[in-house]
Amino acid sequence: MILWITKNRNKFYEVKKVKRIVLLLLFMLLLPFAQKVHASNIVIQVNEEATVFDNRSGALEQVGTLSGGQTFEVTKDYGANWWQIRWGGSYGYVDKRYTTVVPSPTYKNTVPSVAKIKDYIVATKVTPIYDNTGNKLVQFATLSEGVRFPIYSRMGSWYGIAVNGRLGYVHSNFVNEEKGQETTNPSTKPIEKPTPTPTPPSKQNGYIEALENTVLYDLRREQPMSIATLNKGQQLEVAGVGDETYVQVRWGKTFVYAEKTKVKFVNTPTYKNIGKDNAVKNQYFIPISGNSEIYDRSANKLVPFAKLDMNRRYPILRKEANWYVTTIGGREGYIHSSKVALDRGVPVMMYHHLLKEHELGRFKNVSTTMTDTQFANEMKYLKDKKFETVSADDLLRFMRNEITLPAYSIVLTFDDGLLSTREYAYPILKKYGFQATQFLITYRNEYSPAEQLFNYNDLQALSRKDMELMQDVFTYESHTYNLHDMIGNKGKMLLIPYHEVVQDLKRSLTIIPEAKAFAYPFGQYTTNTIYAVKEAGFAMAFSTKPGYNNPYDDVYQIKRLYSDQQTSFTQFKKMVSPYAQ
């Protein structure tokens, strides 16, 4: 053998060299696979605020959100449309459309995936979750109202929670603490808090029976809002104790409450038409008839068990022939299709400039100008029809499915912050007790004189003094600091560098620091524009695209409607109706 190698030395080294090359090539080819085996889970970056859903009920239920620009590890690639992540004691699911796969997470405050868990928090409202590893708190996610989450640590007024392997902090003002059963397995459902009711049901959920006709309330807004009336002697399933005053029953993806003094607790129901509240669609109907009762059909006959309020939106479980099926308190209710209309969402009206008829001059037939008489007639109609003018903030909560709004709800907006709104819009809105939103080009407002006479031949901007005097009617949001200009047929906002856009939007907030909403100049925007709006700190943005707004719609592309000098009163009435007429 040695003799053969000596005689064939050159050939031997050539073969050895070839082998080394082959091995090197194989190593290079296999390296990505080796890295894949030893690398951590897939990491995603959230492009815009993304909803986290729980699917354990058989339907998607919102349990929180992930903030735009933040990164998260994925526990599982869940098919073509979803990522699976750790969420509390179970899993959450995030729509892939709102994410991008990135090489690694950007955060450092990791925590073990399995830790000893004893107590829990329950979010009493939408709860921001913060990272505190830098010099300031940075929000990276939220918990939805009612979501129960295990406590990882405590620090003063803050609770630490393990969010998908990342340590986050929530303030005690947003949550209640709840004792549980110690466990080291985060996937095990904890034992619920005992139910301290006067006559506790034999199992956790139990049932209530109405001692009299009993109103069911939604408590998520400032004032309790009646949703339905449970008929005397009828029953619903209990979802939770609520507090000393109320008992909680499920309604779609949220809850309504009955006064405890008006119900009694029973162990077993007398009805059979069990309904899965969480299985409702993102579609709603509005009762349009005084006969708005919902019926039990389980005994081959119609038995009314509750009456729906007229000015409300009700989730649809399904449709059977000429009947819509909704659900409340774990019980299916039938209502005939002739008694309801399909909800098309919340309208947002867009106005700009108001003048008297004789003042129109060069503004005659200009789409952004209307007469004060037309505006007054439209507002009177809204008042006569008992519309509620809701704030931009309530619209945001509605679109996140955090609250419901009356069927006759509307958002009134004014673009450009013009002085004519002081002259003509403000007194009319104040007369009817309405609220509205002004989108300001804040450079113009910053330099407007405090005492200025109205000149109908000019476009004048509100001053800071004007804004202060009208804050009982108007809230003020951003329409840029100084980017409301056209260059050719494109808005300036689309033509300047990204960082300059962000800088301008942040500067607008120095004039209106409480602003959360933005309106795109001339209705023009791109994906980059949306990113800039988010980076500047706005929670929502309004477009000029026509249409209505519903839960889970994109809050950075809110649709609006407008009325101008060519809009007839009949057209306006059809436009603002909560359902097609």
Side-chain angles (χ1 to χ4, degrees):
M1 183 68 180
I2 295 173
L3 181 63
W4 182 87
I5 291 174
T6 303
K7 288 181 178 179
N8 298 277
R9 183 175 296 169
N10 291 337
K11 289 182 180 180
F12 175 76
Y13 285 115
E14 284 177 8
V15 171
K16 195 172 183 180
K17 184 177 181 181
V18 169
K19 285 183 176 179
R20 282 204 302 268
I21 293 170
V22 170
L23 288 171
L24 181 60
L25 288 170
L26 284 170
F27 175 75
M28 291 175 68
L29 287 169
L30 292 172
L31 180 60
F33 296 98
Q35 289 176 331
K36 205 172 272 188
V37 170
H38 296 289
S40 59
N41 292 321
I42 296 170
V43 177
I44 57 170
Q45 178 173 297
V46 180
N47 299 329
E48 57 186 88
E49 185 176 59
T51 303
V52 181
F53 294 98
D54 186 308
N55 73 346
R56 287 176 293 176
S57 67
L60 294 178
E61 180 177 1
Q62 181 174 340
V63 290
T65 64
L66 305 181
S67 300
Q70 296 294 318
T71 55
F72 300 88
E73 284 196 353
V74 171
T75 56
K76 187 176 182 181
D77 185 340
Y78 206 77
N81 300 317
W82 300 96
W83 299 116
Q84 183 192 73
I85 64 172
R86 276 275 178 199
W87 196 258
S90 184
Y91 294 103
Y93 298 86
V94 179
D95 193 322
K96 288 183 177 180
R97 293 176 299 172
Y98 303 109
T99 67
T100 302
V101 175
V102 294
S104 59
T106 54
Y107 58 88
K108 298 178 181 179
N109 55 340
T110 57
V111 290
S113 58
V114 177
K116 187 170 288 188
I117 295 166
K118 185 175 181 181
D119 300 326
Y120 298 79
I121 52 169
V122 178
T124 57
K125 61 188 79 173
V126 177
T127 301
I129 308 171
Y130 297 98
D131 186 311
N132 77 336
T133 52
N135 295 323
K136 60 180 181 179
L137 293 174
V138 176
Q139 183 177 331
F140 69 87
T142 69
L143 291 179
S144 294
E145 181 180 353
V147 170
R148 191 171 188 263
F149 216 92
I151 298 169
Y152 181 78
S153 62
R154 291 178 178 82
M155 187 171 67
S157 298
W158 295 85
Y159 292 102
I161 60 175
V163 183
N164 196 45
R166 181 177 183 179
L167 183 60
Y169 288 89
V170 299
H171 198 273
S172 56
N173 287 345
F174 289 84
V175 299
N176 289 329
E177 185 172 344
E178 185 175 286
K179 299 295 182 181
Q181 180 184 29
E182 186 169 316
T183 177
T184 55
N185 183 356
S187 64
T188 301
K189 187 176 180 181
I191 292 176
E192 299 290 343
K193 185 178 180 180
T195 307
T197 57
T199 53
S202 60
K203 66 176 185 176
Q204 182 207 337
N205 281 335
Y207 302 86
I208 54 168
E209 182 176 309
L211 299 172
E212 57 186 88
N213 290 347
T214 301
V215 176
L216 303 175
Y217 295 99
D218 187 323
L219 302 178
R220 294 175 295 172
R221 298 182 74 196
E222 290 182 5
Q223 298 296 326
M225 187 163 70
S226 61
I227 297 299
T229 300
L230 181 64
N231 294 348
K232 180 180 179 180
Q234 296 296 321
Q235 300 170 341
L236 297 175
E237 185 178 356
V238 173
V241 180
D243 57 21
E244 293 180 359
T245 305
Y246 295 103
V247 61
Q248 182 187 69
V249 299
R250 182 166 284 284
W251 178 46
K253 298 182 185 298
T254 185
F255 303 96
V256 288
Y257 297 82
E259 294 179 65
K260 287 183 177 177
T261 58
K262 296 183 178 180
V263 300
K264 67 178 180 180
F265 292 89
V266 295
N267 293 329
T268 56
T270 55
Y271 62 87
K272 297 180 180 179
N273 59 333
I274 305 299
K276 291 186 177 180
D277 293 81
N278 282 338
V280 293
K281 303 174 183 177
N282 189 32
Q283 295 177 314
Y284 305 83
F285 65 71
I286 299 167
I288 58 173
S289 167
N291 180 11
S292 58
E293 289 183 307
I294 53 173
Y295 296 89
D296 186 310
R297 293 184 67 188
S298 57
N300 296 321
K301 61 179 181 178
L302 295 175
V303 178
F305 70 90
K307 184 173 184 179
L308 306 180
D309 279 31
M310 293 290 293
N311 186 21
R312 299 291 182 262
R313 311 164 192 272
Y314 296 91
I316 296 170
L317 186 63
R318 64 183 181 275
K319 189 178 183 186
E320 293 183 8
N322 293 322
W323 295 84
Y324 282 103
V325 185
T326 188
T327 181
I328 190 165
R331 188 172 183 180
E332 290 184 352
Y334 287 74
I335 188 167
H336 197 270
S337 59
S338 63
K339 308 296 184 184
V340 301
L342 290 179
D343 172 39
R344 58 183 181 183
V346 175
V348 179
M349 291 301 300
M350 174 177 59
Y351 298 102
H352 290 77
H353 192 34
L354 302 180
L355 293 173
K356 291 185 177 297
E357 182 72 36
H358 73 272
E359 296 173 341
L360 287 173
R362 67 189 178 99
F363 297 104
K364 183 72 174 178
N365 296 324
V366 173
S367 64
T368 53
T369 304
M370 72 187 311
T371 68
D372 63 329
T373 301
Q374 182 181 353
F375 181 74
N377 288 338
E378 291 180 355
M379 295 303 104
K380 183 179 184 303
Y381 174 78
L382 296 180
K383 186 67 175 180
D384 291 344
K385 294 294 288 184
K386 296 182 171 55
F387 271 85
E388 179 182 340
T389 55
V390 299
S391 65
D393 188 57
D394 270 355
L395 176 66
L396 176 64
R397 295 176 67 199
F398 171 79
M399 293 178 69
R400 288 175 169 172
N401 205 32
E402 295 166 1
I403 61 171
T404 188
L405 289 174
Y408 284 85
S409 295
I410 193 167
V411 181
L412 303 177
T413 67
F414 292 80
D415 285 11
D416 302 345
L418 297 173
L419 192 62
S420 66
T421 61
R422 182 193 75 182
E423 296 296 302
Y424 301 125
Y426 175 74
I428 294 169
L429 294 169
K430 188 174 178 67
K431 173 184 176 181
Y432 293 125
F434 286 170
Q435 60 178 311
T437 294
Q438 293 250 23
F439 290 107
L440 306 179
I441 308 161
T442 52
Y443 168 82
R444 301 178 187 180
N445 308 109
E446 184 178 17
Y447 292 103
S448 290
E451 303 291 340
Q452 56 180 328
L453 296 176
F454 177 63
N455 178 2
Y456 60 79
N457 292 313
D458 196 9
L459 289 174
Q460 300 162 279
L462 296 168
S463 69
R464 291 194 183 195
K465 185 67 174 177
D466 295 322
M467 293 161 55
E468 180 182 344
L469 293 174
M470 296 192 297
Q471 60 186 355
D472 58 332
V473 167
F474 292 115
T475 55
Y476 301 102
E477 308 290 347
S478 178
H479 205 28
T480 76
Y481 177 73
N482 195 20
L483 294 181
H484 196 279
D485 292 304
M486 290 287 282
I487 301 174
N489 61 354
K490 282 194 175 182
K492 184 178 179 181
M493 191 175 179
L494 303 187
L495 300 174
I496 65 174
Y498 177 88
H499 74 277
E500 291 184 20
V501 174
V502 175
Q503 185 178 29
D504 176 276
L505 302 189
K506 287 184 176 180
R507 190 171 181 183
S508 76
L509 291 171
T510 64
I511 312 300
I512 43 174
E514 302 300 319
K516 295 180 181 179
F518 180 79
Y520 301 108
F522 315 108
Q524 297 180 356
Y525 62 96
T526 65
T527 301
N528 277 346
T529 314
I530 295 175
Y531 290 157
V533 169
K534 292 179 180 180
E535 185 173 333
F538 294 99
M540 62 196 304
F542 290 71
S543 74
T544 59
K545 291 181 178 179
Y548 302 83
N549 301 284
N550 290 284
Y552 304 118
D553 284 353
D554 188 346
V555 297
Y556 288 94
Q557 299 186 69
I558 295 172
K559 297 177 281 292
R560 291 195 284 178
L561 307 167
Y562 74 94
S563 177
D564 62 19
Q565 295 170 54
Q566 309 305 317
T567 305
S568 71
F569 191 50
T570 299
Q571 288 172 323
F572 174 78
K573 290 191 290 185
K574 289 182 178 179
M575 185 188 306
V576 298
S577 173
Y579 49 86
Q581 294 181 327

